[in-house]
Each structure stands twice: as C-alpha cells, then as structure tokens.
Amino acid sequence: GIDNFSQYPAVKPLAESKTALYPNVRLVNAEAGEYLRQLPPDSVGLIFVDDLHEPEHVAAECKYICSALRSGGLAIFHDTKVRGLEEIIRREFPEWDMLFLPCYSPIAKDDFGIGIVKKP
C-alpha cells in the first residue's frame, strides 16, 4: 500500500499494526505517483489507488501503473465516479480487462464507485 498519510495521519499506526501479521505486505509512506515512477517495470502484482482525485493526476499515475504492474496484475481504483475518473481509466487502459462496481459510502450516503483493471 502507498499513502502519504496527509489526510488521516492517525491511520498510519493502525495500518502498521494490522499489516504486521503479513510479512509480504509493506506500507510505503510516499506520494503514489512518485513512488510508482521509480519502480522497476513489471515489479508489482497489486496496486490500490485512492488518492488525489484530479483527472490529470490520475491520468499521469495510470502511466506509472502501466509500467510498474506485472502481467496479470491488478490495479484497483477507489472513487471512480468522482470527476470523470472512470472515463480516464477506460481511456488509459484500453486493452485491459476491467470491471466497475458500486462502492457506497454510508457516511456520504453516495456511490463513489470502484474499478478493477487487469494488465494483460
């Protein structure tokens, strides 16, 4: 998981304690795009994206995901119904299998959507 923990700094200790049981899980405290850009090609099997919901930011991040994600790997995008992000994801991964599902927030009482894309 990659997060800069800027919005919810109190989450970091809880996330570290919950994931400590899993030696193959690593939390990275960084801006996702910067971190993904430096990864070797085809080096990651799963990426969960729930960060800055600006279209230009997501489009740029998709390019880093294309490089870092290994064949058969998944990228999961949260909040795909925000600011046209589903359309950006569809545009950036035209040949990839994808599935978009509802993701209801009981706090906001709205469906923000979730999308799963699989690299060929």
Side-chain angles (χ1 to χ4, degrees):
I2 308 163
D3 200 332
N4 66 10
F5 297 105
S6 62
Q7 189 176 9
Y8 304 104
V11 171
K12 185 178 181 183
L14 178 62
E16 288 173 334
S17 69
K18 296 276 186 188
T19 58
L21 301 172
Y22 306 95
N24 62 333
V25 173
R26 184 168 61 112
L27 295 175
V28 176
N29 187 2
E31 195 282 318
E34 294 293 321
Y35 180 77
L36 291 169
R37 185 172 58 204
Q38 67 178 324
L39 289 177
D42 306 317
S43 61
V44 179
L46 174 69
I47 299 170
F48 181 79
V49 180
D50 183 20
D51 61 351
L52 185 60
H53 296 70
E54 294 298 328
E56 300 81 24
H57 178 83
V58 173
E61 208 166 57
C62 286
K63 294 183 184 353
Y64 305 138
I65 289 170
C66 283
S67 173
L69 199 62
R70 69 177 61 115
S71 181
L74 301 173
I76 302 170
F77 292 85
H78 191 244
D79 299 336
T80 55
K81 292 190 176 184
V82 175
R83 297 187 181 128
L85 298 186
E86 180 177 332
E87 291 76 24
I88 291 167
I89 294 164
R90 288 183 184 280
R91 183 188 71 220
E92 295 297 324
F93 303 107
E95 305 298 320
W96 295 28
D97 291 333
M98 55 187 69
L99 176 65
F100 291 91
L101 300 167
C103 187
Y104 184 78
S105 167
I107 295 168
K109 301 197 181 327
D110 201 359
D111 172 17
F112 290 99
I114 196 162
I116 304 166
V117 297
K118 181 180 179 186
K119 187 173 183 177

